Amino acid sequence: MFTKLLKEPFQYERIPLSKVKRDKKNRPKNMWKTIKRIWSYLTREKGKLTLVISMVLISSALSLLGPFMVGMAIDDFIVQQNVNGLGTLLLLLVGVYLMHSVSVFLQNYWMIGIAQNAVYKMRDELFRQFHQLPISFFDKRKHGELMSRVTNDIDNVNITLNQSVIQIFASVLTLIGTVGVMLYLSPLLTVITMTIIPVMFICMRWITKRTGPLFKLQQNRLGEVNGFVEEMVSGHHVIKTFSQEERVNTDFREKNDQLQLSGFWSMVFSGYIPKVMNMLNFLSFGLIALFGGILAFNGYITVGVIVIFTEYARQFTRPLNELSNQFNVLLSAVAGAERVFHIMDETQEEADEKDAKTLDHIQGRLEFKDVSFAYEKELTLQNINFTAQPGETIAFVGHTGAGKSTIINLVSRFYNYTGGEILLDGIPLKQIKRNDLRSHMAFVLQDPFLFHGTIRENIRYGDLKATDEEIIKAAKNANAHDFIMELPKGYDTILNTDGTGISQGQRQLITIARAFLAKPSLLVLDEATSNIDTITEMKIQQGLKKLMNGRTSLVIAHRLNTIQEADQIIMLENGKIIERGNHDALVEQQGKYNQLYQNQLKRLMP
């Protein structure tokens, strides 16, 4: 493995090591803009930030004062053999270092609070943004990769704000103060000491040009691994069913190798920094000893000044070392923050029109007039026309990709139609507030989704203000009450996210109870009885029949025996309506619907 890391650091990315510095796509694209945006979160607590800056100023001044006092002790007291004065100065020196420790503690204490609040607000804003983005955004992205933005990327920002911001600021102040005092003591020796700066700059530039892209690459690879793991854990049943464990392990190993390789080389290059700085430290000490000794022999400076310069040279290279190290941490944090801000800057769901209406009650008359829609460029729906009267059931049938789910997405305004008009009780759908529209709708989908929590909480999701009595009534209407009461803790039985512990049919009954509680005027059913045993299907059908009574219902059907009582059946093909009518009328037409119906009958026959 180590040989592979050395010989093929970018075998998956196909990027030669010599060309890493030219790979601009993996660098933060707007580094200073991103840093400025992170800083805006810190400045929301100006009072605490002012205290932190004050403590940094004090600690930096005290760190410069200490070595200066040591030099004074040598020249004014040790050389002069003044014991009394030396004792007093030593006591003052102890006080200086104690005050320095206290100021460092306070600045760290206050900065941690500021950083935690900033990250809290950032994470909160990102989570809120998730709920303001259109459905199309989530349809195009892996959920695990999005989760990585909330966890890993923001954690990187958190570490940087807690540790790096103060160090960077303190290092800059220490550098400025150190150079100022050194120039005051001996301009010539200062110039000699500063000769290491060009060498340091060249080394740091060579290293950071490579670590920047590598840290960005590492964050991207980490997001891909998280997304892959989330997807595989969600689909583990399918993986085991088709015995694809070995292929999945191979795919994961490849992605894990990519993450390992990018992480290995980012650490290797960033690890050069302290080694280079130590070498330059030794070079600096050697220059001070050589030229400082010459100047001292000729009476230009004192021994105390040489001692001060030696300590200041260490203080000078230490902030540079810290800046170099923190720069790499900063690059990683900026790369993560850029990914977070990219989500925050995504176009939110289209705002409601200014004159959008709020509906206290709807009758449920739904009308499509020449409606067309395209997800990308190619039309998914073309000139769709139909009318659903209040209380009617409209069923949509057709092969996969015919446009059934798209119609539902348009009615719920998950997507906005691009042509024609959809009217609800005579009001254009775009003139109704989204939240208000959806508050009058309920969905019972093919794959029921339950949240982690009790059955009571999952049903109450349909109406958070519902009482326990209303929850029980909804469960009875959905034919779910009996099986719930047979569970050890009844309505207080805790379910996992995937509903582990109860059957698919029982999960579906709970979602029907949730829909009952919502008291919708518009009901959407997406093959709610698929993959259910016969007895449970009968219970679900009974519950759905009660639920649909008096409500305008839109049903996506794959099994035609479940929609024979629909008021209107619409047959779709390639985004167009090719047949419509009730079941008997469509069978008599001997068209596509009848062919589909007869084929399903043959499958059911022994």
Side-chain angles (χ1 to χ4, degrees), residues 155-290:
D155 279 346
N156 276 339
V157 176
N158 183 27
I159 293 171
T160 301
L161 293 182
N162 280 323
Q163 301 176 2
S164 302
V165 172
I166 291 179
Q167 288 188 15
I168 291 172
F169 184 46
S171 297
V172 171
L173 288 177
T174 302
L175 280 174
I176 295 172
T178 300
V179 173
V181 178
M182 289 170 73
L183 285 171
Y184 168 76
L185 292 173
S186 175
L188 180 58
L189 193 56
T190 300
V191 172
I192 293 171
T193 307
M194 294 298 108
T195 55
I196 66 169
I197 291 181
V199 180
M200 186 179 298
F201 178 78
I202 293 171
C203 293
M204 292 304 103
R205 183 174 176 81
W206 185 87
I207 294 172
T208 54
K209 271 190 174 183
R210 286 155 175 77
T211 53
L214 285 167
F215 277 121
K216 181 68 176 292
L217 188 64
Q218 184 182 12
Q219 288 301 113
N220 289 337
R221 292 292 178 254
L222 183 59
E224 290 179 9
V225 167
N226 286 335
F228 184 81
V229 171
E230 191 270 342
E231 184 179 13
M232 293 305 104
V233 171
S234 300
H236 70 280
H237 283 98
V238 178
I239 294 170
K240 288 185 176 297
T241 300
F242 290 93
S243 301
Q244 293 297 316
E245 292 91 343
E246 188 59 36
R247 186 188 67 82
V248 168
N249 287 334
T250 300
D251 291 345
F252 176 77
R253 194 175 300 115
E254 180 176 329
K255 293 181 181 297
N256 201 24
D257 282 347
Q258 293 176 17
L259 177 60
Q260 180 192 27
L261 292 170
S262 58
F264 175 83
W265 286 103
S266 62
M267 292 298 104
V268 166
F269 279 111
S270 62
Y272 289 162
I273 293 175
K275 310 301 185 295
V276 171
M277 297 305 298
N278 285 336
M279 180 188 70
L280 295 176
N281 267 336
F282 294 141
L283 177 60
S284 176
F285 293 155
L287 291 173
I288 292 171
L290 175 61

Side-chain angles (χ1 to χ4, degrees), residues 396 404-413 443 524 554 556:
F396 301 95
K404 305 182 296 294
S405 296
T406 302
I407 290 177
I408 301 303
N409 285 334
L410 296 184
V411 172
S412 55
R413 290 196 67 189
F443 297 78
V524 175
L554 306 178
I556 296 177

Side-chain angles (χ1 to χ4, degrees), residues 64 66-75 78-79 93 97 182 185 189 285 288-289 292-293 296 301-315:
L64 294 173
F68 192 84
M69 293 176 68
V70 172
M72 288 176 57
I74 293 172
D75 288 340
I78 295 177
V79 173
L93 190 60
Y97 284 121
M182 289 170 73
L185 292 173
L189 193 56
F285 293 155
I288 292 171
I301 60 174
T302 63
V303 175
V305 171
I306 295 176
V307 173
I308 294 173
F309 259 82
T310 303
E311 182 62 22
Y312 277 0
R314 185 181 66 82
Q315 286 200 4

